[in-house]
Amino acid sequence: MIPAEIIRAKRDGRQLSNEQIASFIDGFARSAMPDYQMAAFAMAVFFQGMTRAETTSLTRHMLASGQQLKWNDRSVRPVVDKHSTGGIGDKVSLVLAPLLACCGVRVPMISGRGLGTTGGTLDKLESIPGFRTDLTIPEIESQVENIGCAITGATDDIVPADRRLYALRDVTATVESVPLITASILSKKLAESLDSLVLDVKVGSGSFMQTPEAAAELAQSLVDVGHALGLNTTAVLTNMDQPLGQMIGNANEVLESIECLQGRGPNDLRELAIHLSAIAIKTLQPDEVNARRLLADKLDNGEAYDRFKQLIAAQGGDLSQLAQLAEPHDIVADRNGIVESINGQTLGNVIIELGGGRKVAADKIDHQVGIEMLARVGDRVSAGQPLARVFADNAASNQVCPLLRRAIVIGDRAVIPPKLVIDRLDSGAENGKS
Ligand code: URA
């Protein structure tokens, strides 16, 4: 089929057939199609959207552009994973993969790099010298068989169509499209050959989807398409109107994850890691109250941290050499009052400005810079009290401190802190408020 005809059909709002989508994606994956045709297609989808049938077909053919992981004995040791749509300070993956591995499931986690203003699991882990994020398919399979988990990046063999399409979407302003996000996330997760997937769909100023409506639309699309492709999928909508945990950056997020893995650290991080993990192990432990107790024990008794150390060592990392944090600089409150809001997008931009995230794909990450939040929404604060700590050299810190100070709004009225878990959608089941 002629690619321009398929682009024209989508541009004019016509529904594409499975054959049209197959031919288009196959041509792209075989590098038989120039990038500009795929960029035009992405823009047509961005404006016209896709039906669930089209999105399902797009996901299926993107998956088919690469290979899938292979597992034995899935009824005994289910293969599960979690994916987050990305949020400020979201380090749950670093805790959840080893935690789940201690519970008898396998977690072949294929993660991404920072996207927009949100950080990436791979960038965070690369603050551990030597840590490899480029495992081959046989390496992923054997590591997951041996220690129960791996956290690595997509390879040329796993959904290569997504790698190329994603790079194009980033530079053609077509990232924020529900069908394209759905196909991108699910094709990678389906390549892991999972039994079940938990999706953490973030909503709020520190995330991709800034309104509950947009997040709910994405969550429903992910659950529907996952279900249509035979994957037991649950989406949890979680609040991102303030950072998750206190640390935002790279090395400092690894340190905070280690705290959590040792049974300490901020409550919201622990709570969310346990909440999402309990859903992921529901085939082994259907009673979520018992599952939560089991997971909390594994954090408190050191098992999860031991597994994390095995994971780091298996991928060549040396935790004793974790990047040191840059010099700390405190930002203080200029008045008494109550923290009314914290603008996550601004915090993300500050991290990028400091070098902890990327302005362009080729930028190198500075793992030593970051922010530690010392106040949360709803906290009463007094003039002079530290609100946040910036880890950076003097010049960079002087540049970002005014921005950061403005991101934390102090008012006079009492504020109810936002609820962390907002909603839950299960594939094939009735959706209900949690
Ligand atoms: N994460 C992905 O992997 N792809 C997207 O398109 C958005 C978030």
Side-chain angles (χ1 to χ4, degrees):
M1 284 175 217
I2 300 167
E5 283 305 316
I6 299 173
I7 300 167
R8 183 173 297 113
K10 186 77 278 185
R11 182 202 68 187
D12 294 346
R14 274 177 276 142
Q15 185 172 341
L16 300 180
S17 67
N18 183 47
E19 289 67 32
Q20 284 173 309
I21 294 174
S23 134
F24 199 84
I25 297 299
D26 186 48
F28 180 62
R30 282 186 293 104
S31 300
M33 180 189 294
D35 281 356
Y36 53 75
Q37 283 189 309
M38 186 42 122
F41 178 79
M43 193 56 90
V45 172
F46 184 90
F47 282 118
Q48 295 292 356
M50 277 186 150
T51 63
R52 285 289 193 270
E54 287 175 295
T55 311
T56 304
S57 172
L58 180 65
T59 309
R60 185 186 293 117
H61 296 296
M62 281 176 53
L63 169 67
S65 70
Q67 298 172 33
Q68 285 180 252
L69 302 179
K70 293 193 185 69
W71 310 110
N72 296 321
D73 304 326
R74 288 167 48 151
S75 57
V76 188
R77 269 178 96 199
V79 185
V80 305
D81 198 3
K82 182 249 15 164
H83 184 88
S84 159
T85 56
I88 304 288
D90 182 4
K91 54 200 74 78
V92 167
S93 293
L94 275 64
V95 176
L96 174 137
L99 176 59
L100 287 177
C102 302
C103 300
V105 292
R106 289 172 283 189
V107 190
M109 188 180 276
I110 295 172
S111 289
R113 301 199 172 273
L115 179 66
T117 50
T118 64
T121 300
L122 301 180
D123 295 325
K124 293 170 199 183
L125 283 168
E126 281 173 354
S127 38
I128 305 168
F131 188 85
R132 283 184 55 207
T133 54
D134 61 350
L135 302 184
T136 62
I137 290 182
E139 283 174 330
I140 302 172
E141 289 167 343
S142 102
Q143 183 177 317
V144 171
E145 288 305 348
N146 290 336
I147 62 164
C149 56
I151 306 182
T152 187
T155 69
D156 285 343
D157 300 326
I158 297 178
V159 202
D162 180 62
R163 281 227 314 193
R164 275 183 63 206
L165 174 54
Y166 199 84
L168 284 178
R169 285 169 58 208
D170 213 14
V171 292
T172 55
T174 49
V175 170
E176 299 90 345
S177 151
V178 166
L180 295 178
I181 298 174
T182 302
S184 167
I185 291 177
L186 287 181
S187 58
K188 285 182 293 234
K189 294 293 147 181
L190 286 157
E192 296 174 6
S193 305
L194 300 175
D195 295 301
S196 63
L197 171 66
V198 184
L199 292 154
D200 182 4
V201 180
K202 302 286 189 194
V203 52
S205 72
S207 70
F208 224 34
M209 294 290 166
Q210 305 221 340
T211 64
E213 294 73 24
E217 187 193 343
L218 175 60
Q220 192 67 60
S221 168
L222 286 160
V223 167
D224 289 350
V225 174
H227 186 54
L229 294 173
L231 179 60
N232 183 345
T233 312
T234 303
V236 181
L237 264 70
T238 68
N239 184 277
M240 237 317 127
D241 277 325
Q242 60 183 334
L244 188 69
Q246 289 179 249
M247 296 295 195
I248 316 164
N250 291 286
N252 60 345
E253 290 203 32
V254 174
L255 286 170
E256 191 167 68
S257 306
I258 291 174
E259 288 273 301
C260 182
L261 284 158
Q262 293 176 327
R264 304 193 300 268
N267 281 340
D268 59 343
L269 173 61
R270 176 180 166 102
E271 175 55 31
L272 190 56
I274 291 178
H275 187 92
L276 298 170
S277 300
I279 298 171
I281 57 167
K282 69 182 171 202
T283 48
L284 290 183
Q285 182 50 268
D287 180 331
E288 276 186 29
V289 176
N290 284 338
R292 294 168 68 85
R293 201 170 298 132
L294 172 80
L295 291 156
D297 281 350
K298 305 241 178 242
L299 290 173
D300 295 337
N301 68 16
E303 258 189 81
Y305 182 48
D306 280 346
R307 198 61 67 110
F308 177 75
K309 287 190 286 191
Q310 288 174 27
L311 164 76
I312 301 302
Q315 293 185 221
D318 182 354
L319 259 185
S320 69
Q321 299 298 315
L322 179 68
Q324 297 291 310
L325 300 189
E327 198 187 325
H329 302 266
D330 283 358
I331 287 159
V332 299
D334 46 20
R335 53 165 289 192
N336 297 338
I338 293 166
V339 178
E340 203 171 278
S341 64
I342 299 176
N343 189 311
Q345 185 122 38
T346 307
L347 300 187
N349 282 327
V350 165
I351 294 291
I352 293 175
E353 216 38 67
L354 292 174
R358 296 184 185 81
K359 287 184 183 155
V360 295
D363 281 350
K364 270 184 83 81
I365 297 279
D366 181 346
H367 294 106
Q368 299 179 290
V369 299
I371 303 172
E372 180 177 4
M373 297 303 294
L374 301 172
R376 296 184 65 75
V377 172
D379 284 359
R380 184 172 287 283
V381 294
S382 345
Q385 179 179 332
L387 298 174
R389 185 165 292 147
V390 174
F391 299 100
D393 62 28
N394 281 338
S397 154
N398 285 341
Q399 195 194 330
V400 301
C401 281
L403 206 60
L404 188 49
R405 175 63 201 84
R406 280 199 299 277
I408 306 170
V409 177
I410 300 175
D412 294 312
R413 56 184 183 90
V415 179
I416 299 170
K419 199 172 157 220
L420 183 58
V421 177
I422 303 167
D423 203 355
R424 170 164 161 180
L425 284 77
D426 286 289
S427 61
E430 281 289 298
N431 300 329
K433 298 270 174 207
S434 55

